[in-house]
Amino acid sequence: MRILFSFIIILIISISTTVMAKPKVVPTTEEIFINPDPDSPPIAFQRLVFNVPETQELGRGGLKSNILGCMERYKFSLESNTFDLENRIFVNSFTEIMKEAKYNVPGDPNALFADADAAPEFLIAAMISDFEIDFCHEKKNYKKGDGQLYMKLDWQIYNLATEEIVLRKETEGYHQIKKSNDNILFSLLDEVYRNALKN
């Protein structure tokens, strides 16, 4: 009887910790805006910056249990709250989505040398200003797991000719991965970035 009672208590704690503090859920647009101007100026992605206030809690992680779900919950934290996310995948995702939307994104994002004919007129950068994560990973492999992530991105468009920021726009993104993923944090980050770009 005591064993059953203890199991029920553990199950209640597990369920309650799974329900608490979920990230904000926002929809992703079903149809992206298609650029109507075939002669629009060339654009390029410049950088993605993480800049969330140090006072803000970023979310939580946990260890996966086959029986009890997500256990041993802990606060998710980073060594720094301001840094550049330097990975080619964000350039590739930007290029793919913007080309799908019929924007002029010249050149090969994976080219190792600059192409003079592919020089952009506008640079686009984004800053992550809000970040809420809830994920669970395996004990032996912290990269493998499932979870969900919400981010708010502040976009800026810079005119190289006039050296001015010509547009600022704020969008949000959310994504959930329910099945175990081999690189849960990176996969969530890229998917939410893509969804915020579409929005």
Side-chain angles (χ1 to χ4, degrees):
M1 188 69 177
R2 283 186 178 181
I3 295 173
L4 180 61
F5 179 74
S6 298
F7 177 78
I8 291 171
I9 293 298
I10 292 170
L11 185 61
I12 290 171
I13 292 171
S14 172
I15 292 171
S16 65
T17 54
T18 303
V19 171
M20 291 167 55
K22 294 291 187 183
K24 189 185 299 181
V25 177
V26 294
T28 302
T29 181
E30 293 183 8
E31 293 185 13
I32 61 173
F33 174 80
I34 302 298
N35 177 27
D37 182 7
D39 299 317
S40 60
I43 61 174
F45 184 71
Q46 180 70 9
R47 63 194 293 212
L48 176 62
V49 178
F50 188 95
N51 187 23
V52 178
E54 291 184 4
T55 55
Q56 180 178 322
E57 290 188 4
L58 302 179
R60 61 186 185 161
L63 297 181
K64 288 182 72 68
S65 167
N66 293 333
I67 300 174
L68 300 175
C70 201
M71 300 291 290
E72 298 184 42
R73 297 301 240 156
Y74 60 87
K75 285 185 179 179
F76 178 78
S77 61
L78 298 167
E79 291 183 6
S80 172
N81 281 50
T82 305
F83 54 89
D84 277 32
L85 288 158
E86 298 177 354
N87 193 297
R88 296 302 302 175
I89 192 68
F90 301 116
V91 178
N92 293 345
S93 294
F94 174 88
T95 302
E96 177 190 327
I97 291 170
M98 296 307 277
K99 282 188 173 181
E100 183 184 342
K102 306 301 182 185
Y103 282 90
N104 183 2
V105 190
D108 178 3
N110 293 312
L112 299 178
F113 300 98
D115 181 358
D117 295 330
E121 292 183 31
F122 293 90
L123 296 178
I124 300 177
M127 181 175 67
I128 300 168
S129 60
D130 195 358
F131 182 98
E132 300 172 17
I133 192 168
D134 183 13
F135 72 105
C136 206
H137 60 85
E138 295 182 358
K139 191 169 186 177
K140 293 183 179 180
N141 183 1
Y142 73 93
K143 288 185 176 181
K144 191 169 185 177
D146 51 46
Q148 54 187 319
L149 173 64
Y150 159 85
M151 293 194 308
K152 181 187 291 182
L153 276 74
D154 299 326
W155 301 88
Q156 297 182 12
I157 300 180
Y158 181 77
N159 186 324
L160 284 164
T162 63
E163 298 184 345
E164 293 178 325
I165 295 173
V166 295
L167 181 67
R168 295 175 187 265
K169 182 71 178 176
E170 186 179 272
T171 66
E172 298 173 296
Y174 167 85
H175 188 70
Q176 181 175 21
I177 295 175
K178 295 182 179 180
K179 293 184 179 180
S180 193
N181 182 284
D182 289 333
N183 199 338
I184 183 61
L185 294 179
F186 190 78
S187 297
L188 282 173
L189 190 62
D190 183 46
E191 287 295 337
V192 175
Y193 164 79
R194 293 170 66 92
N195 291 345
L197 177 58
K198 290 175 181 178
N199 287 342

